[in-house]
Amino acid sequence: MAKAVKKQALGRGLSALLKDPENDIKAIGDKNADKVVGNIIELDIDAIEINPFQPRTNFNEDSLQELASSIKELGVIQPITVRKLGFNTYQLISGERRLRASKLVGLTTVPAYIRIANDNESLIMALVENIQRHDLDPIEIALSYQRLIIEIQLTQEQMSERVGKKRSTIANYLRLLKLDPIIQTGIRDGFISMGHGRAIINIDNQDIQTDIYQKIVSQNLSVRETEALVKNYQEGLKPILVKAKKATTFAIVEEQKKSFNNFFGAKVDVKVAGNGKGKITIPFHSEEDFERIIKLIKG
């Protein structure tokens, strides 16, 4: 216990050092930098700004309240990490949940590791550390990989080395970003898993993706059942040897599409699979438009 008190006192002493304008540390080579950089120091919460590079955008309120209760009882066990911006001003690199929870219980200071980092280094540290977390959803991880590619211009091979993940794993996460935004939200909110998403992504048409997503949610389909559903759809689209009857079916559909469009006053979509089965989709743009189409159908 005495050792823990001594460590806390040391952090407070260094905190006072950082508040002295004559000892303002701006680079790793400055005087007293070795006493500060990499050490745990009690920092004023008001001196810490949120990291704009933070990949996480969704914070569960119940989980945050639980962490706040833990901090109220035990204190901040794992220090946050910050980078020094200027005199007594810091920017969060990692630990936003801990910082938010500390504010909830009214703490005025928080233990922090101090780093000297430029914007690129700060972004890389924040993204890499967050990717390693177990409570990020798959879309947040995918967006983190995407930012490393776009903003830091890392290749998938370089990212693989940085985060310790296989290149194929990184590629699988990135492919999720090709899903319809509605499905991405479904993954983030836990309605479907990454496994479901990986199955759906094999469908290029986003309208069909959404149809399959709705079936997964409404029928509580497993990943294996989803894969079978996708496979059945793909099998139905495979080209079949031309037969007179099938050729006639497609020809009739093409002839009637214009009639459908004129009748409903909308661009009707007609899809026909290789087995002759198909689907007619009639779009509407408002409740009034929907009622108009219903009246036409009822005659």
Side-chain angles (χ1 to χ4, degrees):
M1 181 65 69
K3 187 175 181 181
V5 172
K6 184 177 179 181
K7 183 177 181 181
Q8 189 178 34
L10 175 63
R12 288 177 178 171
L14 291 175
S15 179
L17 175 68
L18 286 170
K19 292 179 182 179
D20 183 354
E22 295 183 2
N23 288 296
D24 188 22
I25 298 167
K26 298 178 181 178
I28 196 68
D30 289 350
K31 181 181 178 183
N32 292 322
D34 59 326
K35 297 178 182 178
V36 172
V37 178
N39 286 308
I40 302 174
I41 298 173
E42 287 286 332
L43 293 181
D44 292 335
I45 283 182
D46 291 339
I48 304 169
E49 67 176 42
I50 298 301
N51 186 353
F53 306 128
Q54 166 66 272
R56 165 171 294 189
T57 56
N58 185 27
F59 292 88
N60 183 283
E61 289 300 323
D62 292 337
S63 175
L64 206 57
Q65 287 292 343
E66 289 176 6
L67 179 58
S69 298
S70 173
I71 288 175
K72 187 175 182 180
E73 292 293 325
L74 305 172
V76 181
I77 297 173
Q78 182 183 1
I80 64 174
T81 303
V82 300
R83 69 173 179 135
K84 198 169 185 301
L85 292 179
F87 177 65
N88 200 35
T89 56
Y90 306 88
Q91 186 179 83
L92 191 69
I93 291 177
S94 64
E96 186 168 347
R97 286 184 71 253
R98 278 162 278 160
L99 185 64
R100 285 173 179 255
S102 297
K103 289 179 179 180
L104 282 177
V105 296
L107 295 186
T108 56
T109 64
V110 64
Y113 285 107
I114 295 183
R115 303 288 299 267
I116 304 292
N118 61 31
D119 285 349
N120 274 3
E121 289 169 341
S122 180
L123 175 58
I124 291 173
M125 283 189 284
L127 292 175
V128 170
E129 176 160 333
N130 274 279
I131 286 169
Q132 303 291 359
R133 298 179 67 88
H134 296 292
D135 52 355
L136 280 186
D137 67 65
I139 300 300
E140 285 177 318
I141 294 175
L143 290 170
S144 296
Y145 285 138
Q146 186 183 61
R147 290 189 68 182
L148 284 168
I149 288 174
I150 295 172
E151 299 182 36
I152 309 300
Q153 297 184 337
L154 292 182
T155 64
Q156 290 188 19
E157 289 80 4
Q158 290 170 328
M159 276 198 296
S160 176
E161 295 175 2
R162 288 290 185 103
V163 302
K165 302 286 185 182
K166 292 181 180 179
R167 184 181 177 280
S168 58
T169 300
I170 294 171
N172 284 332
Y173 276 104
L174 288 170
R175 290 183 71 223
L176 295 177
L177 300 180
K178 295 180 180 179
L179 289 166
D180 185 278
I182 293 175
I183 303 173
Q184 291 186 38
T185 302
I187 294 175
R188 299 195 70 166
D189 292 340
F191 289 112
I192 63 172
S193 69
M194 179 178 175
H196 289 104
R198 287 182 61 186
I200 299 173
I201 199 62
N202 291 313
I203 303 292
D204 293 328
N205 187 308
Q206 289 197 334
D207 290 335
I208 304 299
Q209 286 184 6
T210 328
D211 288 344
I212 292 175
Y213 167 70
Q214 290 170 351
K215 286 182 181 178
I216 295 169
V217 175
S218 62
Q219 299 176 25
N220 195 26
L221 300 182
S222 66
V223 172
R224 183 166 293 182
E225 288 170 331
T226 303
E227 290 170 345
L229 187 63
V230 169
K231 184 178 180 182
N232 288 340
Y233 170 78
Q234 291 173 321
E235 290 290 336
L237 292 182
K238 284 186 177 179
I240 298 177
L241 291 175
V242 178
K243 296 179 181 178
K245 186 176 179 180
K246 294 289 168 51
T248 304
T249 302
F250 282 102
I252 293 172
V253 167
E254 288 302 316
E255 287 177 9
Q256 295 301 321
K257 277 180 71 173
K258 188 174 181 180
S259 299
F260 283 148
N261 292 342
N262 293 335
F263 180 75
F264 289 107
K267 189 176 181 181
V268 178
D269 185 31
V270 182
K271 289 186 173 66
V272 181
N275 58 8
K277 295 181 180 180
K279 180 172 71 172
I280 299 174
T281 304
I282 307 170
F284 60 91
H285 307 289
S286 64
E287 186 176 344
E288 292 77 11
D289 196 26
F290 177 75
E291 291 175 353
R292 178 186 66 82
I293 292 171
I294 293 297
K295 287 180 181 178
L296 287 172
I297 293 173
K298 289 182 177 180

PDB file of all heavy atoms in Angstrom, residues 267-282:
ATOM      1  N   LYS A 267     -41.071   3.484 -62.515  1.00  0.00           N
ATOM      2  CA  LYS A 267     -40.126   2.590 -63.163  1.00  0.00           C
ATOM      3  C   LYS A 267     -40.151   1.237 -62.452  1.00  0.00           C
ATOM      4  O   LYS A 267     -39.524   1.045 -61.414  1.00  0.00           O
ATOM      5  CB  LYS A 267     -38.712   3.185 -63.135  1.00  0.00           C
ATOM      6  CG  LYS A 267     -37.719   2.405 -63.990  1.00  0.00           C
ATOM      7  CD  LYS A 267     -36.369   3.088 -64.015  1.00  0.00           C
ATOM      8  CE  LYS A 267     -35.389   2.308 -64.897  1.00  0.00           C
ATOM      9  NZ  LYS A 267     -34.051   2.955 -64.919  1.00  0.00           N
ATOM     10  N   VAL A 268     -40.895   0.316 -63.014  1.00  0.00           N
ATOM     11  CA  VAL A 268     -41.072  -1.006 -62.403  1.00  0.00           C
ATOM     12  C   VAL A 268     -39.867  -1.881 -62.745  1.00  0.00           C
ATOM     13  O   VAL A 268     -39.416  -1.920 -63.894  1.00  0.00           O
ATOM     14  CB  VAL A 268     -42.370  -1.661 -62.902  1.00  0.00           C
ATOM     15  CG1 VAL A 268     -42.531  -3.059 -62.316  1.00  0.00           C
ATOM     16  CG2 VAL A 268     -43.569  -0.791 -62.549  1.00  0.00           C
ATOM     17  N   ASP A 269     -39.371  -2.583 -61.720  1.00  0.00           N
ATOM     18  CA  ASP A 269     -38.208  -3.458 -61.919  1.00  0.00           C
ATOM     19  C   ASP A 269     -38.691  -4.910 -61.958  1.00  0.00           C
ATOM     20  O   ASP A 269     -39.396  -5.355 -61.041  1.00  0.00           O
ATOM     21  CB  ASP A 269     -37.207  -3.259 -60.792  1.00  0.00           C
ATOM     22  CG  ASP A 269     -35.931  -4.058 -61.022  1.00  0.00           C
ATOM     23  OD1 ASP A 269     -35.567  -4.254 -62.191  1.00  0.00           O
ATOM     24  OD2 ASP A 269     -35.320  -4.499 -60.028  1.00  0.00           O
ATOM     25  N   VAL A 270     -38.329  -5.624 -62.997  1.00  0.00           N
ATOM     26  CA  VAL A 270     -38.726  -7.031 -63.140  1.00  0.00           C
ATOM     27  C   VAL A 270     -37.472  -7.887 -63.241  1.00  0.00           C
ATOM     28  O   VAL A 270     -36.621  -7.655 -64.099  1.00  0.00           O
ATOM     29  CB  VAL A 270     -39.606  -7.248 -64.394  1.00  0.00           C
ATOM     30  CG1 VAL A 270     -40.038  -8.707 -64.483  1.00  0.00           C
ATOM     31  CG2 VAL A 270     -40.813  -6.323 -64.378  1.00  0.00           C
ATOM     32  N   LYS A 271     -37.320  -8.835 -62.324  1.00  0.00           N
ATOM     33  CA  LYS A 271     -36.166  -9.739 -62.330  1.00  0.00           C
ATOM     34  C   LYS A 271     -36.661 -11.165 -62.552  1.00  0.00           C
ATOM     35  O   LYS A 271     -37.630 -11.600 -61.923  1.00  0.00           O
ATOM     36  CB  LYS A 271     -35.386  -9.647 -61.020  1.00  0.00           C
ATOM     37  CG  LYS A 271     -34.615  -8.349 -60.840  1.00  0.00           C
ATOM     38  CD  LYS A 271     -33.757  -8.432 -59.589  1.00  0.00           C
ATOM     39  CE  LYS A 271     -32.835  -7.222 -59.462  1.00  0.00           C
ATOM     40  NZ  LYS A 271     -33.600  -5.977 -59.244  1.00  0.00           N
ATOM     41  N   VAL A 272     -35.983 -11.900 -63.435  1.00  0.00           N
ATOM     42  CA  VAL A 272     -36.333 -13.290 -63.712  1.00  0.00           C
ATOM     43  C   VAL A 272     -35.094 -14.153 -63.544  1.00  0.00           C
ATOM     44  O   VAL A 272     -34.041 -13.860 -64.109  1.00  0.00           O
ATOM     45  CB  VAL A 272     -36.888 -13.458 -65.153  1.00  0.00           C
ATOM     46  CG1 VAL A 272     -37.269 -14.912 -65.399  1.00  0.00           C
ATOM     47  CG2 VAL A 272     -38.077 -12.546 -65.374  1.00  0.00           C
ATOM     48  N   ALA A 273     -35.195 -15.200 -62.705  1.00  0.00           N
ATOM     49  CA  ALA A 273     -34.079 -16.116 -62.489  1.00  0.00           C
ATOM     50  C   ALA A 273     -34.057 -17.164 -63.600  1.00  0.00           C
ATOM     51  O   ALA A 273     -34.986 -17.272 -64.416  1.00  0.00           O
ATOM     52  CB  ALA A 273     -34.214 -16.787 -61.128  1.00  0.00           C
ATOM     53  N   GLY A 274     -32.995 -17.937 -63.628  1.00  0.00           N
ATOM     54  CA  GLY A 274     -32.829 -18.951 -64.662  1.00  0.00           C
ATOM     55  C   GLY A 274     -33.889 -20.025 -64.630  1.00  0.00           C
ATOM     56  O   GLY A 274     -34.166 -20.672 -65.644  1.00  0.00           O
ATOM     57  N   ASN A 275     -34.513 -20.237 -63.453  1.00  0.00           N
ATOM     58  CA  ASN A 275     -35.539 -21.280 -63.357  1.00  0.00           C
ATOM     59  C   ASN A 275     -36.926 -20.775 -63.732  1.00  0.00           C
ATOM     60  O   ASN A 275     -37.912 -21.471 -63.592  1.00  0.00           O
ATOM     61  CB  ASN A 275     -35.570 -21.852 -61.932  1.00  0.00           C
ATOM     62  CG  ASN A 275     -35.829 -20.774 -60.893  1.00  0.00           C
ATOM     63  OD1 ASN A 275     -36.138 -19.628 -61.218  1.00  0.00           O
ATOM     64  ND2 ASN A 275     -35.679 -21.138 -59.619  1.00  0.00           N
ATOM     65  N   GLY A 276     -37.000 -19.524 -64.231  1.00  0.00           N
ATOM     66  CA  GLY A 276     -38.273 -18.977 -64.656  1.00  0.00           C
ATOM     67  C   GLY A 276     -39.011 -18.194 -63.593  1.00  0.00           C
ATOM     68  O   GLY A 276     -39.970 -17.485 -63.884  1.00  0.00           O
ATOM     69  N   LYS A 277     -38.578 -18.313 -62.330  1.00  0.00           N
ATOM     70  CA  LYS A 277     -39.214 -17.560 -61.251  1.00  0.00           C
ATOM     71  C   LYS A 277     -38.692 -16.122 -61.271  1.00  0.00           C
ATOM     72  O   LYS A 277     -37.597 -15.858 -61.733  1.00  0.00           O
ATOM     73  CB  LYS A 277     -38.912 -18.202 -59.892  1.00  0.00           C
ATOM     74  CG  LYS A 277     -39.505 -19.592 -59.735  1.00  0.00           C
ATOM     75  CD  LYS A 277     -39.188 -20.147 -58.362  1.00  0.00           C
ATOM     76  CE  LYS A 277     -39.785 -21.547 -58.187  1.00  0.00           C
ATOM     77  NZ  LYS A 277     -39.466 -22.099 -56.845  1.00  0.00           N
ATOM     78  N   GLY A 278     -39.492 -15.206 -60.753  1.00  0.00           N
ATOM     79  CA  GLY A 278     -39.044 -13.817 -60.778  1.00  0.00           C
ATOM     80  C   GLY A 278     -39.713 -12.959 -59.723  1.00  0.00           C
ATOM     81  O   GLY A 278     -40.454 -13.440 -58.860  1.00  0.00           O
ATOM     82  N   LYS A 279     -39.446 -11.663 -59.813  1.00  0.00           N
ATOM     83  CA  LYS A 279     -39.976 -10.723 -58.832  1.00  0.00           C
ATOM     84  C   LYS A 279     -40.251  -9.400 -59.526  1.00  0.00           C
ATOM     85  O   LYS A 279     -39.453  -8.928 -60.343  1.00  0.00           O
ATOM     86  CB  LYS A 279     -38.955 -10.521 -57.707  1.00  0.00           C
ATOM     87  CG  LYS A 279     -39.432  -9.549 -56.635  1.00  0.00           C
ATOM     88  CD  LYS A 279     -38.486  -9.522 -55.440  1.00  0.00           C
ATOM     89  CE  LYS A 279     -37.186  -8.850 -55.776  1.00  0.00           C
ATOM     90  NZ  LYS A 279     -36.344  -8.640 -54.586  1.00  0.00           N
ATOM     91  N   ILE A 280     -41.382  -8.782 -59.197  1.00  0.00           N
ATOM     92  CA  ILE A 280     -41.743  -7.471 -59.720  1.00  0.00           C
ATOM     93  C   ILE A 280     -41.680  -6.467 -58.566  1.00  0.00           C
ATOM     94  O   ILE A 280     -42.314  -6.684 -57.520  1.00  0.00           O
ATOM     95  CB  ILE A 280     -43.160  -7.476 -60.332  1.00  0.00           C
ATOM     96  CG1 ILE A 280     -43.237  -8.467 -61.492  1.00  0.00           C
ATOM     97  CG2 ILE A 280     -43.547  -6.079 -60.800  1.00  0.00           C
ATOM     98  CD1 ILE A 280     -44.640  -8.646 -62.049  1.00  0.00           C
ATOM     99  N   THR A 281     -40.913  -5.402 -58.734  1.00  0.00           N
ATOM    100  CA  THR A 281     -40.765  -4.385 -57.700  1.00  0.00           C
ATOM    101  C   THR A 281     -41.343  -3.064 -58.210  1.00  0.00           C
ATOM    102  O   THR A 281     -40.931  -2.556 -59.256  1.00  0.00           O
ATOM    103  CB  THR A 281     -39.288  -4.171 -57.334  1.00  0.00           C
ATOM    104  OG1 THR A 281     -38.727  -5.424 -56.934  1.00  0.00           O
ATOM    105  CG2 THR A 281     -39.143  -3.182 -56.183  1.00  0.00           C
ATOM    106  N   ILE A 282     -42.310  -2.532 -57.453  1.00  0.00           N
ATOM    107  CA  ILE A 282     -42.941  -1.262 -57.829  1.00  0.00           C
ATOM    108  C   ILE A 282     -42.530  -0.205 -56.798  1.00  0.00           C
ATOM    109  O   ILE A 282     -42.955  -0.273 -55.637  1.00  0.00           O
ATOM    110  CB  ILE A 282     -44.481  -1.388 -57.870  1.00  0.00           C
ATOM    111  CG1 ILE A 282     -44.900  -2.571 -58.755  1.00  0.00           C
ATOM    112  CG2 ILE A 282     -45.114  -0.086 -58.348  1.00  0.00           C
ATOM    113  CD1 ILE A 282     -46.372  -2.910 -58.662  1.00  0.00           C
TER     114      ILE A 282
END
